[in-house]
Amino acid sequence: VETPQRGVFYLRSPEDSKRIHAAGQGADAVLIGSSFIALESAAYLVANGAKSVTVLARDPVPFKALFGEEAGKAARRLHESKGVKFVIGELQSFASDAQGGLSGLKLKSGDTLPAQLCVVGIGSTPNTAFLPAGLLAGGKPGSPLVVGPDLRSPSDSNVFGAGDVLGYGHWQTAQTQGRLAARSMLGKP
């Protein structure tokens, strides 16, 4: 899918968040995916100046695979109660204005969502290139590190993991896992 010169963002750094905040002021915002990043961005934008906020998702229940249908439905209801709209569908292409900026998202259904801002929140690939393939899920580069409940690799007792390397792209999870991994390294429960 060809991307317009302006208006489509990935949230990977504090600088990205500042650019998204600035672009969201008075804008129609669409977030692709129902990941943590997408839904946290939707909640932020709806509370901080966006004209409208829509989540474009493939599944009507966010987080269903992680937390179950009931929790996923509750998360969706909470976002909807704050003004976030959910559209179930798939992106076909981006529409651009005459200046090369984003003007909308064309869906495979034929519908178009107006948007001057789009945040792509469709997950992440763990940065595991520095690890031996034998420590990774399925032995494949780019796959998450395999660990036990103590966050230690069952294949190498000197390797511990936390956060993105495990395939969990949420900063609060990474913080908690970092503390738990440190405790495991120190032999503390």
Side-chain angles (χ1 to χ4, degrees):
V1 173
E2 190 172 326
T3 306
Q5 292 176 339
R6 291 185 326 279
V8 178
F9 296 88
Y10 294 85
L11 179 53
R12 296 188 175 124
S13 70
E15 292 76 28
D16 291 340
S17 67
K18 291 174 186 171
R19 286 190 284 274
I20 291 167
H21 170 80
Q25 300 307 297
D28 295 304
V30 175
L31 299 106
I32 300 177
S34 55
S35 66
F36 284 114
I37 291 292
L39 292 185
E40 286 180 355
S41 297
Y44 178 84
L45 288 165
V46 79
N48 288 281
K51 178 179 169 186
S52 69
V53 178
T54 302
V55 172
L56 174 62
R58 290 184 178 183
D59 192 314
V61 181
F63 308 132
K64 182 168 67 175
L66 285 173
F67 303 118
E69 190 157 347
E70 187 175 328
K73 285 181 178 178
R76 179 174 171 164
R77 282 192 306 271
L78 176 65
H79 281 76
E80 288 174 330
S81 74
K82 304 293 183 184
V84 175
K85 294 178 268 201
F86 282 77
V87 172
I88 309 310
E90 290 185 50
L91 175 68
Q92 179 175 328
S93 63
F94 292 105
S96 297
D97 61 24
Q99 293 77 38
L102 179 67
S103 63
L105 282 76
K106 296 178 183 178
L107 307 183
K108 289 185 178 180
S109 67
D111 294 332
T112 298
L113 300 174
Q116 299 79 51
L117 167 67
C118 176
V119 178
V120 181
I122 55 174
S124 61
T125 301
N127 183 8
T128 55
F130 65 96
L131 292 167
L135 301 178
L136 307 178
K140 293 186 247 173
S143 296
L145 173 67
V146 176
V147 295
D150 61 353
L151 300 177
R152 179 189 309 258
S153 168
S155 301
D156 186 335
S157 63
N158 294 313
V159 175
F160 294 80
D164 289 354
V165 76
L166 301 181
Y168 304 107
H170 191 274
W171 67 270
Q172 287 175 318
T173 303
Q175 275 187 331
T176 301
Q177 289 172 339
R179 284 192 291 273
L180 293 173
R183 293 184 66 77
S184 291
M185 288 177 205
L186 296 170
K188 296 182 177 182

